[in-house]
Amino acid sequence: MAKTIQAIRGMNDCSPTESPLWQWVEEKVRTVLAGYGYSEVRMPIVEATPLFARAIGEVTDVVSKEMYTFWDNDEQLTLRPEGTAGCVRAAIEHGWIYNNEQRLWYLGPMFRHERPQKGRYRQFHQAGVEIFGIPNPEIDAELILLTARLWQALGIDQHVSLQLNSIGSPQARANYRSALVEFLTKHTALMSEEEKERLVKNPLRILDTKNQALQAVLNDAPKLLDYLDDESRTHFQQLCELLDGMGIGYEINPKLVRGLDYYNKTVFEWVTDALGAQGTVCGGGRYDGLVEQLGGHATQGVGFAMGLERLVLLVQEVNKNIVLPNAVDIYLVYAGEGTTLAAFRLAEKLRTALPHLRIMTHCSGGNFKKQFKRADKLAAKFALVLGESEVAAQNVVLKDLRGGGEQQTVAQSALIEYLSEKFY
Ligand code: HAM
């Protein structure tokens, strides 16, 4: 036998038994987004490498270590590690943002060369939202309300909590950065080589270190919230008031800075402790300078993205009430002279009349016993049985496969009405 080829590490297949839950989660995402009037966009999964370097930042982990980059003739391309950069690129390119506000969403695969573990993959899926042209904190609040509604729809609202921070204007952050570096320089003895490198390149990322000795010291470090410019401070206060008024609980986490460079003002993450180390299910914030930085007219932006693998894992972990639809409602079994064509005709007629039903035709021969076994394995609710005598009499036998196995002969002319009653 030829040697088999395996999937790439950290890139998962979605099996036929897993896909119903994925579809269920995606359907909830689509329904909630539609309820807020957002429009779907679809962007390519490959973009020119400089787009990510410019948008996300050269010194971030994502750009410096995690991108899948390759040469296509003389152009360097990258598999998208996230959706914001491509969405902003598309919005500028097609003029989506110049005449009116835009509330956009996307869903699809992203790629990061990270060390795979539960909840962290090299190909993963995000559902993301990007809003352009709205400076007010109302829209930040709307995004948070929308996500809270989605958690309810997914039955995970008791298992996620909201972390909130403001990282202010670029100038406020630069002032804070100097104060933080001055403070941290006194504690380099506690730092790993990587943290020392961060101190030079991206010191704010040290705030979310896992190094416990450093974490303890950080409690006395200068706080970003104390360095905020007035506009960011007011924006943040108004957002907090709106969330309070809407009954959304949150924790202000002064160490929350996010791992991508484009943010300003509001940043937030929804986290869970039900998934182990990879507990952030959704992250986002404001990026008012990004459109201009990528060559567009100055336009405010705000958005978030959630990791669908993590949401699916969390739903599996905590929501035991989901009833997923069966792949098959009715399994059509047939054997004998002239029954194949009769079965095909009957199945097509039923699919036309009852398009919501999932009807599978056996197609692979064998006696009735073997065919019923297959129907059972697929957990079909009913079998429709066509033998030579049924074809001759224009009947069909309907066998209830779930409740007691009773069976009934029904005229084919009455079948559609009969089934529509059974399935409503
Ligand atoms: P991010 O925090 O890098 O933000 O990713 C958002 C979410 O994607 C994470 O919270 C997590 O649930 C999921 N995620 C990230 N990396 C992985 C991975 N390796 N495996 C599984 N899931 C993962 C962004 O990507 C921003 N573009 C979000 C945004 C949109 N901000 C403004 N607009």
Side-chain angles (χ1 to χ4, degrees):
M1 251 204 286
K3 194 167 176 276
T4 57
I5 297 171
Q6 311 267 302
I8 296 162
R9 202 161 102 83
M11 302 202 177
N12 300 317
D13 301 302
C14 182
S15 73
T17 46
E18 291 164 317
S19 61
L21 181 57
W22 274 82
Q23 287 171 352
W24 184 85
V25 169
E26 288 173 8
E27 185 50 37
K28 299 285 177 201
V29 172
R30 286 173 205 279
T31 305
V32 169
L33 289 164
Y36 286 74
Y38 291 15
S39 309
E40 184 181 1
V41 286
R42 300 182 186 195
M43 285 82 62
I45 57 168
V46 184
E47 299 271 0
T49 307
L51 172 70
F52 300 115
R54 267 167 72 183
I56 300 170
E58 297 274 8
V59 298
T60 56
D61 285 352
V62 171
V63 172
S64 65
K65 310 189 229 179
E66 296 170 359
M67 297 210 300
Y68 284 94
T69 295
F70 56 96
W71 287 97
D72 177 21
N73 295 328
D74 53 0
E75 193 178 14
Q76 207 176 19
L77 305 180
T78 294
L79 298 186
R80 63 182 184 191
E82 57 101 60
T84 310
C87 190
V88 172
R89 194 263 315 136
I92 296 170
E93 188 169 334
H94 307 297
W96 292 345
I97 39 186
Y98 294 137
N99 300 320
N100 49 3
E101 299 166 358
Q102 286 285 10
R103 304 185 194 200
L104 307 174
W105 68 271
Y106 50 84
L107 189 155
M110 308 289 161
F111 303 84
R112 295 185 193 176
H113 194 271
E114 297 196 78
R115 199 163 44 78
Q117 64 179 94
K118 181 181 170 190
R120 186 167 71 193
Y121 309 103
R122 290 181 172 174
Q123 176 175 332
F124 59 98
H125 296 77
Q126 283 185 346
V129 163
E130 312 297 350
I131 313 277
F132 296 108
I134 310 185
N136 319 28
E138 277 106 303
I139 194 69
D140 307 18
E142 176 173 294
L143 291 186
I144 289 170
L145 284 168
L146 181 160
T147 44
R149 178 175 292 277
L150 178 61
W151 311 148
Q152 260 179 8
L154 295 174
I156 59 172
D157 49 312
Q158 299 304 310
H159 302 269
V160 288
S161 61
L162 177 62
Q163 305 252 309
L164 200 59
N165 194 17
S166 174
I167 58 170
S169 65
Q171 185 55 51
R173 220 158 41 255
N175 295 344
Y176 173 69
R177 184 187 154 119
S178 308
L180 184 68
V181 169
E182 194 185 324
F183 172 87
L184 285 172
T185 306
K186 291 179 243 154
H187 301 282
T188 47
L190 299 173
M191 289 183 193
S192 65
E193 285 313 308
E194 197 181 346
E195 282 157 348
K196 283 182 194 154
E197 198 183 318
R198 278 199 170 159
L199 182 59
V200 178
K201 289 191 176 160
N202 200 358
L204 267 61
R205 289 297 296 174
I206 296 185
L207 292 176
D208 59 15
T209 178
K210 303 251 174 342
N211 173 343
Q212 288 190 352
L214 204 54
Q215 270 177 359
V217 162
L218 279 171
N219 290 332
D220 299 323
K223 302 275 177 292
L224 187 47
L225 284 174
D226 296 332
Y227 284 75
L228 286 192
D229 50 296
D230 288 344
E231 195 190 316
S232 299
R233 189 186 306 280
T234 310
H235 186 101
F236 192 55
Q237 270 164 2
Q238 287 173 349
L239 171 61
C240 291
E241 279 163 23
L242 271 171
L243 294 178
D244 293 338
M246 293 304 293
I248 301 281
Y250 55 88
E251 184 193 340
I252 295 177
N253 176 357
K255 293 180 185 164
L256 180 68
V257 290
R258 310 266 306 128
L260 314 161
D261 276 359
Y262 45 63
Y263 293 110
N264 71 312
K265 292 187 176 161
T266 314
V267 289
F268 65 91
E269 286 187 352
W270 285 95
V271 295
T272 179
D273 48 23
L275 291 183
Q278 303 307 317
T280 307
V281 293
C282 172
R286 209 161 246 291
Y287 49 87
D288 294 331
L290 184 59
V291 176
E292 202 175 2
Q293 196 183 314
L294 292 180
H297 297 305
T299 307
Q300 301 87 358
V302 59
F304 65 77
M306 45 203 159
L308 294 182
E309 280 76 5
R310 294 185 192 177
L311 285 179
V312 166
L313 280 170
L314 188 55
V315 167
Q316 273 171 333
E317 196 84 30
V318 304
N319 186 347
K320 306 291 176 206
N321 298 323
I322 309 174
V323 183
L324 294 171
N326 259 359
V328 179
D329 296 313
I330 295 176
Y331 198 81
L332 183 47
V333 305
Y334 53 94
E337 189 71 30
T339 58
T340 304
L341 206 51
F344 267 61
R345 285 196 180 123
L346 181 62
E348 290 305 317
K349 199 167 120 192
L350 292 179
R351 289 184 187 114
T352 304
L354 304 166
H356 60 288
L357 286 191
R358 298 145 199 258
I359 301 163
M360 189 182 276
T361 312
H362 177 65
C363 288
S364 57
N367 59 23
F368 280 122
K369 193 168 165 219
K370 176 185 157 195
Q371 298 190 36
F372 278 123
K373 252 196 184 150
R374 183 87 193 115
D376 227 28
K377 201 156 179 218
L378 289 164
K381 292 189 197 100
F382 289 94
L384 279 179
V385 191
L386 271 181
E388 285 172 19
S389 53
E390 283 78 20
V391 172
Q394 294 284 298
N395 286 334
V396 62
V397 172
L398 185 71
K399 185 168 177 186
D400 186 343
L401 297 175
R402 300 291 111 211
E406 72 221 39
Q407 56 181 61
Q408 215 166 340
T409 302
V410 182
Q412 284 188 26
S413 56
L415 186 63
I416 289 167
E417 205 183 324
Y418 190 87
L419 286 177
S420 45
E421 272 167 30
K422 284 267 178 213
F423 280 92
Y424 274 106

